[in-house]
Amino acid sequence: ETNYEPELLLNLQTSYEVLGLKGRFINLGINHQSNGRSEPLSRSWNRVVANFGFERDNLALILNTWLRIPESDAEDDNPDIDDYMGYGQVWLYYLWKEHRFGFMYRNNLHFDENRSTVQVEWSFPLIEHVSGYIQYFYGYGESLLDYNARISRIGLGFIVKDW
């Protein structure tokens, strides 16, 4: 499954403080996410997004929020995607030496049919411009095709760093 996510964002650099965290940016824009497949395997949605970035020492917090742009019943190939993906997610990163630890939490905020998603990741140095990467994912929306299926996955890989 290959998912595409073009977006148009207005990035505003900020400098304010909230609860001891420095507000660093606000992104406002439009986001399209799709898997590029034809029916019956097509999945896509369009969203208005607002993202907020905060820092404190080696800690970074990113709040991603979205609101789905409604589609007609004839055009909508995943009408219940909000029930699984919710309206936002929280990313927390901690940098220690050359290691990066990440945690993502997403929840649909439906108390009757609550669906949460968690992703934990770690990147660590291997050689000069390459880091190793380990990721654990549990929840919904790991891919658009199976957005409504609970998935548990472990991923291994590498990251090519800036030259």
Side-chain angles (χ1 to χ4, degrees), residues 28 77 99 114 129 137:
L28 303 170
D77 48 22
H99 298 258
N114 191 269
H129 294 289
F137 180 94

Side-chain angles (χ1 to χ4, degrees), residues 126-151:
L126 287 177
I127 58 176
E128 186 176 1
H129 294 289
V130 179
S131 289
Y133 183 74
I134 298 173
Q135 179 188 87
Y136 174 71
F137 180 94
Y138 178 80
Y140 297 89
E142 198 268 337
S143 76
L144 279 178
L145 185 60
D146 296 323
Y147 71 89
N148 56 358
R150 184 181 299 142
I151 303 290

Side-chain angles (χ1 to χ4, degrees), residues 23-34:
R24 292 299 188 197
F25 69 83
I26 298 173
N27 298 138
L28 303 170
I30 296 177
N31 172 283
H32 169 79
Q33 192 176 33
S34 65

Side-chain angles (χ1 to χ4, degrees), residues 145-162:
L145 185 60
D146 296 323
Y147 71 89
N148 56 358
R150 184 181 299 142
I151 303 290
S152 181
R153 176 187 53 77
I154 294 177
L156 303 171
F158 63 93
I159 298 171
V160 178
K161 300 188 290 186
D162 291 337

Side-chain angles (χ1 to χ4, degrees), residues 64-84:
N64 302 122
T65 64
W66 54 77
L67 183 61
R68 184 174 187 196
I69 299 172
E71 298 178 55
S72 68
D73 290 343
E75 295 286 319
D76 198 349
D77 48 22
N78 37 249
D80 62 347
I81 196 166
D82 288 336
D83 295 338
Y84 295 87

